[in-house]
Amino acid sequence: MATATPTTSLMRTYRYLRIGIAGTIIALFVSVGISATQVGLLPSLSNYYFTPARDAFVGALIAASLALFALSGRGVERALLDAAALFAPLIAFIPTTLGPGNIARIVVPCEFRCFPPEYEAIAAAGVITYLVMGVLTVILVLILARRRQVSLGAVSVSLTFAIIVLLTLAIGWIFFRDFVLDQGHAIATVAFFSLFAAVAVRGAFPRLGAPPRRTFKAAYILIAFMLVLVLGVYVYAELNGYVERIDFPVALIAETVALALFGAFWIVQCVELWDEPDPAASRVQPQPQAQPQAQPQA
């Protein structure tokens, strides 16, 4: 009977987190597929928030966000993943806008697209919870840095970006709530996948250490290219009103492909770094140790 290859707790943690992120995408697709059999084809994947798929939709994005924070690594990759993790919950907490007739039971007071008023209280609970937890996290990081449990220099970019996002959201929610409700979901979605496209590029062209094998490098480049292409299509659809089309659901296709690419990235990286003893530092060039100076001869 063959014995299992020895692994460390760190290796297993990173493996399971990456597999878990890919699993959240599968869970989201399954829940949307089930809801589609009940409500039919909707103009965008985000519209399924207003169906029985909502709990899985929100839960998958929150779980993915926590895993991204845990996997954030070091250096530029840490800053990019931390920033992406900040936007994932906002995609869930601020639902997309709806057009008349998108969801039969939901009435919207507009001719084209707007935020359904009956969901404003739900969005408010999510946004306020997000702000409170965000502030508590920032305070915790500062306390840990003061106690020298966390290097403030290593997290300074992520911390600064988090404070900017929290302040922007708080000011927007207090003074420009209608804008946040109407545009918040789209902004968070574009920001999330844009940052993740940068992560994929970073995976293909690391600055330090050995580059990935040719197969993995090609996969990262393809994922990054496809994400940028899909984001362009998504933004074009949003700006030109194609989100409403059912005969050719541009937004639905774009969001589905983007999420599939997101899951594919983690599968590829999980395979690439499967046997790395410290996957977070796999491409960090070790610092050369100082050589002892020769003693002068008497």
Side-chain angles (χ1 to χ4, degrees), residues 20-34:
I21 293 177
T24 63
I25 306 305
I26 295 173
L28 198 154
F29 282 150
V30 169
S31 65
V32 167
I34 293 172

Side-chain angles (χ1 to χ4, degrees), residues 48 145 183 242:
Y48 285 94
Q183 304 297 330
Y242 289 106

Side-chain angles (χ1 to χ4, degrees), residues 4-288:
T5 304
T7 60
T8 65
S9 176
L10 185 64
M11 289 171 67
R12 292 191 298 274
T13 298
Y14 274 85
R15 288 177 183 178
Y16 299 157
L17 283 171
R18 289 188 175 100
I19 293 171
I21 293 177
T24 63
I25 306 305
I26 295 173
L28 198 154
F29 282 150
V30 169
S31 65
V32 167
I34 293 172
S35 292
T37 63
Q38 302 169 358
V39 301
L41 192 66
L42 300 181
S44 76
L45 201 65
S46 299
N47 281 24
Y48 285 94
Y49 172 92
F50 302 100
T51 71
R54 183 177 68 183
D55 290 347
F57 185 92
V58 174
L61 287 168
I62 299 301
S65 175
L66 292 173
L68 289 175
F69 274 123
L71 283 168
S72 60
R74 304 173 186 180
V76 175
E77 185 181 20
R78 167 183 244 166
L80 291 171
L81 286 178
D82 285 349
L86 283 169
F87 287 108
L90 292 177
I91 299 173
F93 290 150
I94 305 175
T96 187
T97 53
L98 291 176
N102 283 164
I103 306 292
R105 61 181 177 80
I106 300 178
V107 178
V108 290
C110 57
E111 184 179 353
F112 297 105
R113 289 181 68 86
C114 58
F115 191 88
E118 63 188 274
Y119 282 84
E120 185 171 339
I122 297 174
V127 169
I128 293 170
T129 301
Y130 176 90
L131 289 171
V132 171
M133 296 304 298
V135 170
L136 290 176
T137 302
V138 169
I139 292 172
L140 176 61
V141 171
L142 292 174
I143 291 173
L144 292 175
R146 184 174 178 81
R147 295 175 61 87
R148 298 185 178 180
Q149 300 296 312
V150 171
S151 170
L152 192 58
V155 300
S156 59
V157 175
S158 297
L159 190 63
T160 301
F161 189 79
I163 292 171
I164 292 172
V165 170
L166 292 170
L167 283 175
T168 302
L169 180 60
I171 293 170
W173 189 254
I174 294 171
F175 298 106
F176 310 101
R177 184 171 300 188
D178 288 343
F179 176 82
V180 173
L181 291 173
D182 286 340
Q183 304 297 330
H185 182 86
I187 291 172
T189 300
V190 172
F192 175 81
F193 285 111
S194 298
L195 287 162
F196 205 77
V199 172
V201 173
R202 177 70 178 178
F205 301 101
R207 290 187 180 180
L208 299 174
R213 288 205 313 248
R214 208 184 261 179
T215 304
F216 296 115
K217 183 175 182 177
Y220 290 136
I221 293 173
L222 178 62
I223 289 170
F225 173 78
M226 290 297 296
L227 274 173
V228 172
L229 181 63
V230 168
L231 277 173
V233 172
Y234 179 81
V235 172
Y236 181 82
E238 282 283 352
L239 295 177
N240 292 276
Y242 289 106
V243 177
E244 296 301 319
R245 294 183 59 175
I246 294 293
D247 56 335
F248 185 68
V250 178
L252 176 63
I253 295 170
E255 290 176 341
T256 302
V257 173
L259 278 174
L261 290 168
F262 176 73
F265 173 89
W266 291 111
I267 294 172
V268 171
Q269 193 174 82
C270 187
V271 173
E272 181 200 0
L273 303 179
W274 186 263
D275 292 319
E276 288 289 340
D278 184 358
S282 61
R283 297 188 190 131
V284 177
Q285 185 73 30
Q287 297 296 323

